[in-house]
Amino acid sequence: MSNLFSGINARFRGQRSPNSPGPEQQHAQSPVPPPEIQTPTSTTTSVKLPPLPTSPSLAETIGMDQSSGMIPTADEVLTSYHLPPVKPLWLNCNYAKHIVKGNFLTLSAKPKTVEMGEWVAHQVVDHWRMLVTFIRLVHDKEEDGTSICNSRRCPKMSAGANHSFTWLNSRLQPVEIPAYEYLTLVQRYISGKIDDNNIFPCDPSGVSYADNPAFCTPLPESGQEWIGKRSGFPQNFMETCQTIFRQMFRVYAHLYWSHFDDLFALNLEKSMNSCFSHFILTATTLNLLKKADLEPMQPLIDLWAALGTFPQGSKAFEVANLAVGQLLVQKAGGPPQS
């Protein structure tokens, strides 16, 4: 994936297709958040995030009908997703292709000799590096002061009509804010966490290695253990990484639902598909996202499972509904053309 974005920057400000929706007008200054929104003043400021919803996930509630004992058909499950009458372009398997071929699971599985905390930290930084490229594409302003994602075009941080995401204000109340402001806060929050040496220590002398019973005797555990302890990561390190991955997923969901046509006009849809499928495999393999978190993009996960993007036996394949994915392939007229 190291060469994934080679040449992309040259196309970032390229000419969009005449038929693709262009950015709407916006003032040249950055939008001022509502008074109740607590905006960090530096990249190291910790931003409190909204709590997870307590309602059951759509993906978790779709299963055997308790009253009749019948398993719903693929059509019934697809209907329960409440997709718009005109399906998003990315649900057509011909537009769900990747720029690279191979098994992304090999990039997500931890090597035996790498300590788990080090591996999780590497994945967080690597996936953020890839995602921030797409964020800047829709978030940065052009010379005329406009941006693709703006408060008029995206008045709230949403992923289709069925999902929207809130931010906590200074009174710890969840409030809806424009997607542009949400992306600003997400960048400050994640960058602040990654740059904090107390959360992501960078001292090479603190790097540890996983015990390999085939070559050495495991060190005895002392006191309370947690992932990353041996490499100097704090006790709440995994919780922090899960929050970061949850925020990154929300950004991906917004990009797919609101800006996929923009990326398609710049010939970048395959690049984002490659990054996102890798992201889902990593998140599920390392337990950085729960099944409920994936709900806004469940149809695409189903589709990729049917297309073989997620290998059988992977956790990403397990959370997918293969029958729904096969139905989506059928509705698109068969597998994508090579």
Side-chain angles (χ1 to χ4, degrees):
M1 301 292 286
S2 60
N3 296 324
L4 185 60
F5 292 107
S6 58
I8 286 183
N9 290 332
R11 301 203 302 270
F12 266 10
R13 301 307 177 192
Q15 183 67 34
R16 280 186 286 271
S17 169
N19 297 326
S20 64
E24 300 184 42
Q25 294 296 319
Q26 181 175 312
H27 295 296
Q29 291 82 10
S30 298
V32 179
E36 65 270 19
I37 302 300
Q38 184 178 13
T39 305
T41 57
S42 68
T43 58
T44 58
T45 302
S46 177
V47 179
K48 293 184 178 297
L49 299 174
L52 287 175
T54 56
S55 58
S57 163
L58 174 66
E60 291 180 340
T61 55
I62 293 177
M64 180 175 291
D65 189 325
Q66 298 296 328
S67 59
S68 63
M70 299 294 291
I71 298 178
T73 65
D75 272 312
E76 292 171 337
V77 176
L78 186 59
T79 300
S80 70
Y81 289 167
H82 302 293
L83 296 173
V86 179
K87 302 295 187 296
L89 192 62
W90 43 267
L91 275 184
N92 185 318
C93 56
N94 291 304
Y95 300 94
K97 300 177 182 179
H98 299 68
I99 61 172
V100 293
K101 295 183 179 180
N103 186 355
F104 283 112
L105 189 59
T106 59
L107 301 177
S108 304
K110 182 185 76 67
K112 292 182 179 180
T113 58
V114 177
E115 194 268 329
M116 178 59 80
E118 295 286 350
W119 185 245
V120 171
H122 163 72
Q123 293 295 333
V124 169
V125 174
D126 198 39
H127 282 287
W128 175 241
R129 176 184 60 83
M130 291 186 284
L131 175 58
V132 77
T133 306
F134 296 109
I135 294 178
R136 289 171 179 168
L137 170 63
V138 302
H139 187 265
D140 288 357
K141 294 182 181 296
E142 302 277 2
E143 293 181 356
D144 60 0
T146 64
S147 60
I148 294 177
C149 184
N150 56 70
S151 58
R152 294 172 60 185
R153 180 177 175 182
C154 304
K156 61 182 180 179
M157 183 66 175
S158 61
N162 303 319
H163 301 90
S164 62
F165 310 114
T166 58
W167 200 271
L168 292 182
N169 63 14
S170 58
R171 296 186 294 274
L172 302 183
Q173 298 170 331
V175 293
E176 286 188 343
I177 58 177
Y180 185 94
E181 295 176 18
Y182 196 105
L183 294 178
T184 300
L185 293 173
V186 162
Q187 290 182 84
R188 291 176 179 174
Y189 171 79
I190 296 180
S191 296
K193 293 297 183 183
I194 292 177
D195 293 341
D196 189 343
N197 286 332
N198 294 319
I199 302 175
F200 287 80
C202 299
D203 185 0
S205 63
V207 176
S208 180
Y209 298 90
D211 293 321
N212 190 333
F215 301 101
C216 63
T217 302
L219 295 174
E221 297 182 358
S222 58
Q224 185 177 1
E225 292 295 322
W226 62 83
I227 293 177
K229 177 181 179 181
R230 293 176 55 183
S231 294
F233 293 99
Q235 189 170 353
N236 64 342
F237 174 69
M238 278 299 293
E239 180 181 346
T240 299
C241 291
Q242 289 168 344
T243 302
I244 291 175
F245 254 68
R246 189 158 56 246
Q247 290 298 322
M248 286 197 288
F249 175 85
R250 293 177 177 183
V251 172
Y252 268 122
H254 178 72
L255 291 175
Y256 269 96
W257 279 98
S258 300
H259 300 294
F260 188 82
D261 289 349
D262 300 308
L263 296 167
F264 176 75
L266 294 173
N267 296 320
L268 294 176
E269 78 284 355
K270 292 182 181 179
S271 297
M272 189 165 74
N273 288 338
S274 300
C275 291
F276 185 55
S277 59
H278 180 200
F279 175 86
I280 292 297
L281 278 167
T282 300
T284 52
T285 300
L286 300 180
N287 297 318
L288 293 171
L289 286 178
K290 298 178 181 178
K291 188 175 181 180
D293 299 326
L294 305 174
E295 184 177 317
M297 299 304 298
Q298 187 66 45
L300 182 58
I301 293 173
D302 298 342
L303 177 62
W304 276 339
L307 293 175
T309 301
F310 299 143
Q312 295 188 26
S314 66
K315 290 186 178 180
F317 186 88
E318 293 175 0
V319 300
N321 189 312
L322 185 60
V324 173
Q326 293 170 340
L327 179 61
L328 289 170
V329 173
Q330 179 183 347
K331 288 180 177 293
Q337 300 176 357
S338 58

